[in-house]
Amino acid sequence: MQQETSGGVADLQIQTTCQLLITAVVVGGALYWLQSVVIPFVLAAFLALGLAPVADLMMRWLRFPKALAVLLTLILAAGLCVLGFTVVSSAVTQLAASAGEYQKGMTQLLDWATKVLPLERFGITEAEIRKPLARIPLETVSGMLVGTTTAILDLLSQALLVSVFSIFLLIGFSGRE
C-alpha cells in the first residue's frame, strides 16, 4: 500500500513537471509571436513607472487636473527623447563623416607600431599584420553606422505604440486626484 502511494506521488511530480515544461514552451512561443506588441508595452511600462511620480507631483503640488498633468508629463518625456535622438544622430553623422580620418589614423598607428615593435624576433612580418587590416574596407564602418541608424529609426517607429501604451498606463498609475 505504501508502494502505491509513493508511485502516485511520483506520477503527480512527473505530470507537474510536464505541465510546467509545456507552459514554458507555450508562453515562450506566445512571447516570440507577440514580440512586436510586448516589447513596446514593456518599454511603455518602464516609461510610465518613471514618469508617474512627475505626473503625481504636478497633480499634488501644482494642482493640475489629471489629464493636463499626464499630457505635460508626456510632452516633457517626448522632448527629452527628441533631445536624446538629436544628440545620438549628430554623433553618428559626425562619426560617419570622419570614418576616413579614423582609417588614416589606424594606418599611422600601424606604421608606428611596425617600426617600434620588434616583430622580427617573433617571426612576424609587416605584411602579415597589414594583410588582415587591408581586407577591412571603409564601407564596413559605414555599414555598421547605417545599421546603428536603422536600429535607432526602428526604435523610433515604435514610439507611437509606446506613447499610446504610456498614456493609458500613466492615467492608471497616477490615480491620486
Side-chain angles (χ1 to χ4, degrees), residues 126-139:
E126 187 177 334
E128 289 176 340
I129 292 177
R130 290 188 182 276
K131 191 179 200 181
L133 294 175
R135 283 188 239 146
I136 302 174
L138 185 60
E139 291 80 30

Side-chain angles (χ1 to χ4, degrees), residues 7 14 27 29 33 39 41 48 61 70-71 77 87 113 132 176:
I14 291 172
V27 167
W33 186 56
I39 292 173
F41 181 76
W61 293 97
V70 169
L71 179 68
V87 168
R176 300 184 278 276

Side-chain angles (χ1 to χ4, degrees), residues 83-141:
L83 178 67
F85 175 72
T86 304
V87 168
V88 169
S89 174
S90 173
V92 168
T93 302
Q94 288 176 357
L95 187 63
S98 56
E101 293 176 32
Y102 288 124
Q103 189 167 12
K104 186 191 299 182
M106 284 297 294
T107 304
Q108 290 173 351
L109 182 63
L110 184 62
D111 289 340
W112 174 81
T114 55
K115 289 177 187 173
V116 173
L117 296 175
L119 300 174
E120 297 82 27
R121 284 188 186 173
F122 301 108
I124 301 172
T125 64
E126 187 177 334
E128 289 176 340
I129 292 177
R130 290 188 182 276
K131 191 179 200 181
L133 294 175
R135 283 188 239 146
I136 302 174
L138 185 60
E139 291 80 30
T140 303
V141 175

